[in-house]
């Protein structure tokens, strides 16, 4: 809570300053200036600021750049930079008296705002128009604003200006330049060019470049660059480590994540709440949710993100009851949940089949915490009902939604219709979705799959031909696996690996052993009009089976196998992986696009509910 400066104190300061300012003595004028700076510093409300502005005009300080700079800085502190801007750049302002320090202060203030960053560029242009030369502090603020706006052309224009004024040798400017390029669409290669050209690099540009790769989903590049950073002997900071952990999370690279954790301890990197949260998220999403929970328990200080990360992690592993218990513990600790927590909680209920609990929390969110459901919450509810086979109830729920369902909600319904045999309904929804979004390939794939399930091969072919005409391609299924600190990626039928002959021999061995154990391929999963033998062969070449075969060849017997799939695991691969875990005595941890499956001794942690 803010308290305004007592009126008597403010009045005494103003009276003293007014008396000093009215004299002609240079010493008394200096004293008045010093007093006025103290007065501005004491402001802690917008009302105080208005009083100070009045006195600036009254005492003639509107021609004093130092006082105006302090006024701008304090306005920024009070979230009133736009008001200060109107005062400082009114038609009566003597902007020709303004110096770089004043302009930098205003540019910095705007660069730090959420939605007024473009005004930082307006002030920068005015600065140049007033013939005030930018300095090495100006460009980092301007580039930060460009990064926030995300306009590559704008950033390149500023880059050209800093070259013109000779600041391309300043490391602080170059660090921000790298960050700017990495924050703009299409700018990552420009950022890398600047980065590679830097002769002196501390952790800042390394962190910016690694973070840029992570944001683009180029996590392998981020990890490679981090390894280069280690070879160059640059000590990482917590920002670097957060970015690298995000890359590990994206890749599902648990061993790499464990190595990063040991490096954090070895280098004594400050374990801030943010870094601990990144560690928790990495362990949860790389398959070791128990380690994530253990880390959470050791944290002396937690944020809402800490709680959310563990709840979401438990949800992904199908441990809905534990997620629910943690939510109630959070409430007991008087941590107020936000809308993101409820997304995690509803997801936990969805993946564990806790339909009634999910409905209860959906109502609780509004009634007890005043959180209006967003489309993500409605999506979780639809997903929960669909997973439980309550397709008709899900359709009715969607009809009663107070907000327009998005395409994700409709696709969830279509998938459920296909899974649970409501094919006519699924066809109707899919056709409507194709009409609404004629350029989204996923809609055509869903409709094509519905037709395949209905054995309407001609209609399926027509859909595929329509996709070809529009230049659309189905996203191929792929699986990543980490072996000996290296990430390998497989796609269905992949023959690009240098061990592909051994991998396919292992696939044949796996197939023989599975059939002896009673495995019957689920050929209905193959959406092609081909004979049963060809369908079996097609299933045997799915990317997760290739990755598992590769792991069986290249890892010691009895060790766990961890894989990450970009799509939902199919029914056949799920059944096959259960058998493989039993036949080869391996625990197999698989992360698909929505949850984890822990296969062990012929069964899965999801209890065949996914």
């Amino acid at each position: 809570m803010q308290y305004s400066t007592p009126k008597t104190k403010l009045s005494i300061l103003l009276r003293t300053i007014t008396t000093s300012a009215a004299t002609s003595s240079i010493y008394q004028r200096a004293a008045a200036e010093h007093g006025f700076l103290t007065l501005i510093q004491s402001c802690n409300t917008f009302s105080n600021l208005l009083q100070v502005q009045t006195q600036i005009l009254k005492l003639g300080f509107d021609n004093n750049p130092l006082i105006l700079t302090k006024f701008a800085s304090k306005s920024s502190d009070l979230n009133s930079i736009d008001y200060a801007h109107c005062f400082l750049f009114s038609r009566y302002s003597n902007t020709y008296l303004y110096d770089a320090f004043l302009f930098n202060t205003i540019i910095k203030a705007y660069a730090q705002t959420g939605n007024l960053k473009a005004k930082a560029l307006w002030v920068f242009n005015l600065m140049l128009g007033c013939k005030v030369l930018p300095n090495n502090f100006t460009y980092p603020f301007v580039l930060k604003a460009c990064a926030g706006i995300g306009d590559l052309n704008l950033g390149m224009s500023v880059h050209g200006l800093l070259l013109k004024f000779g600041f391309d040798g300043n490391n602080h400017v170059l660090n921000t330049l790298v960050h700017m390029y990495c924050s703009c669409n299409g700018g990552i290669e420009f950022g890398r060019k600047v980065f590679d050209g830097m002769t002196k690099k501390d952790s800042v540009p390394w962190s910016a470049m690694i973070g840029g790769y992570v944001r683009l989903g180029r996590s392998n590049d981020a990890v490679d660059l981090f390894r280069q950073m280690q070879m160059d002997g640059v000590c990482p900071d917590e920002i670097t480590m957060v970015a690298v952990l995000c890359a590990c999370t994206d890749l599902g690279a648990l061993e790499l994540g464990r190595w990063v954790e040991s490096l954090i301890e070895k280098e004594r990197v400050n374990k801030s709440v943010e870094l601990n949260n990144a560690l928790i998220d990495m362990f949860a999403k790389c398959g070791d949710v128990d380690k994530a929970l253990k880390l959470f328990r050791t944290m002396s200080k937690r944020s809402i993100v800490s709680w959310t990360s563990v709840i979401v992690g438990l949800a992904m592993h199908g441990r809905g009851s534990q997620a629910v218990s943690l939510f109630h513990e959070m409430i007991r600790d008087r941590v107020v949940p936000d809308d993101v927590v409820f997304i995690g909680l509803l997801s936990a209920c969805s993946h564990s089949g806790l339909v009634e609990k999910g409905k209860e929390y959906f109502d609780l969110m509004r009634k007890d915490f005043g959180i209006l459901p967003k489309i993500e919450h409605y999506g979780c509810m639809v997903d929960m009902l669909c997973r439980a086979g309550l397709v008709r109830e899900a359709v009715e729920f969607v009809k009663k939604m107070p907000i327009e369902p998005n395409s994700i909600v409709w696709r969830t319904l279509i998938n459920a219709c296909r899974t649970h045999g409501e094919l006519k309904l699924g066809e109707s929804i899919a056709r409507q979705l194709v009409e609404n979004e004629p350029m989204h390939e996923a809609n055509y794939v869903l409709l094509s799959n519905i037709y395949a399930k209905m054995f309407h091969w001609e209609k399926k072919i027509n859909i595929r031909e329509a996709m070809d005409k529009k230049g659309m391609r189905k996203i191929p299924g792929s699986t990543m696996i980490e072996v000996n600190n290296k990430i390998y990626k497989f796609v269905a039928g992949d023959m690009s690996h240098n061990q592909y002959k051994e991998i396919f021999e292992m696939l044949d061995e796996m197939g023989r052993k599975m059939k002896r154990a009673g495995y019957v391929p689920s050929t209905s999963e193959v959406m092609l009009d081909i004979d049963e033998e060809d369908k079996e062969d097609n299933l045997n070449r799915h990317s997760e089976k290739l990755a598992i075969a590769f792991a069986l060849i290249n890892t010691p017997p009895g060790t766990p196998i961890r894989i990450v799939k970009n799509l939902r695991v199919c029914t056949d691969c799920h059944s096959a992986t259960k058998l493989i875990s039993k036949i080869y005595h391996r625990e197999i941890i698989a992360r698909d696009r929505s949850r984890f499956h822990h296969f062990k001794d012929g069964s899965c942690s999801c209890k065949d509910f996914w």
Side-chain angles (χ1 to χ4, degrees), residues 509-543:
E509 178 193 303
M510 288 158 55
R512 291 192 298 271
K513 288 186 175 183
M514 285 192 293
K515 282 192 175 179
R516 284 199 293 269
Y519 166 67
V520 178
S522 177
T523 54
S524 64
E525 288 288 323
V526 181
M527 303 303 173
L528 299 169
D529 187 14
I530 53 178
D531 61 36
E532 290 299 304
E533 187 176 341
D534 285 339
K535 285 186 177 183
E536 287 185 26
D537 189 57
N538 183 283
L539 288 169
N540 205 33
R541 303 296 187 259
H542 277 192
S543 63

Side-chain angles (χ1 to χ4, degrees), residues 21 123 140 155 167 177 308 316 355 383 505 507 608:
V123 176
F167 289 104
L177 189 61
T308 306
M316 287 183 71
V355 176
D383 185 64
E505 286 171 5
L507 280 174
D608 299 335

Side-chain angles (χ1 to χ4, degrees), residues 127-140:
M127 179 183 190
L128 297 176
C130 291
K131 309 298 182 188
V132 177
L133 289 177
N135 58 27
N136 58 318
F137 295 103
T138 311
Y139 284 104

Side-chain angles (χ1 to χ4, degrees), residues 375 378 397-399 401-410 413:
I375 190 65
Y378 286 106
F397 180 85
V398 170
K399 286 179 181 177
M401 281 170 53
I403 56 179
E404 189 71 24
N406 62 11
S407 55
I408 296 171
V409 170
W410 291 121
L413 280 174

Side-chain angles (χ1 to χ4, degrees), residues 23-215:
T23 65
S24 58
S25 166
I26 191 170
Y27 298 108
Q28 288 179 311
R29 288 286 296 179
E33 183 182 274
H34 179 75
F36 208 88
L37 292 170
T38 304
L39 177 67
I40 295 172
Q41 186 59 39
S42 70
C43 290
N44 53 15
T45 68
F46 183 65
S47 177
N48 289 161
L49 207 62
L50 290 176
Q51 288 177 277
V52 166
Q53 180 199 343
T54 302
Q55 294 303 315
I56 287 174
L57 293 169
K58 184 178 178 181
L59 302 175
F61 284 136
D62 52 330
N63 292 328
N64 187 314
L66 181 60
I67 283 177
L68 294 179
T69 300
K70 192 68 177 177
F71 178 79
S73 178
K74 180 53 69 173
S75 298
S76 177
D77 293 343
L78 297 174
N79 298 317
S80 301
I81 188 59
D82 231 17
Y83 180 81
H85 176 274
C86 293
F87 169 56
L88 294 168
F89 298 111
S90 74
R91 57 180 178 155
Y92 305 109
S93 301
N94 296 320
T95 52
Y96 64 90
L97 294 172
Y98 294 179
D99 58 13
F101 189 30
L102 174 53
F103 276 109
N104 287 350
T105 301
I106 303 166
I107 292 168
K108 177 186 177 184
Y110 274 127
Q112 291 174 335
T113 62
N115 59 347
L116 298 173
K117 295 183 190 297
K119 286 199 172 183
L121 276 299
W122 185 90
V123 176
F124 176 61
N125 278 331
L126 183 63
M127 179 183 190
L128 297 176
C130 291
K131 309 298 182 188
V132 177
L133 289 177
N135 58 27
N136 58 318
F137 295 103
T138 311
Y139 284 104
F141 302 144
V142 175
L143 290 167
K144 184 178 179 182
C146 292
I149 297 167
D151 188 326
L152 179 60
N153 290 329
L154 189 64
M156 292 178 82
S157 297
V158 175
H159 186 180
L161 283 171
L162 71 86
L163 288 172
K164 178 183 175 182
F165 286 106
F167 289 104
D168 52 320
N170 184 286
N171 263 25
H172 186 40
V173 172
L174 292 176
N175 288 344
T176 325
L177 189 61
V178 172
H179 168 70
M180 182 277 293
Y181 276 127
C182 290
S183 301
C184 295
N185 288 335
I188 193 77
E189 298 307 330
F190 293 105
R192 185 60 190 259
K193 189 175 180 180
V194 174
F195 175 85
D196 288 340
M198 293 175 68
T199 54
K200 292 181 180 178
K201 294 192 283 274
D202 59 12
S203 64
V204 176
W206 288 94
S207 299
M209 201 69 232
I210 292 168
Y213 281 135
V214 172
R215 281 191 295 276

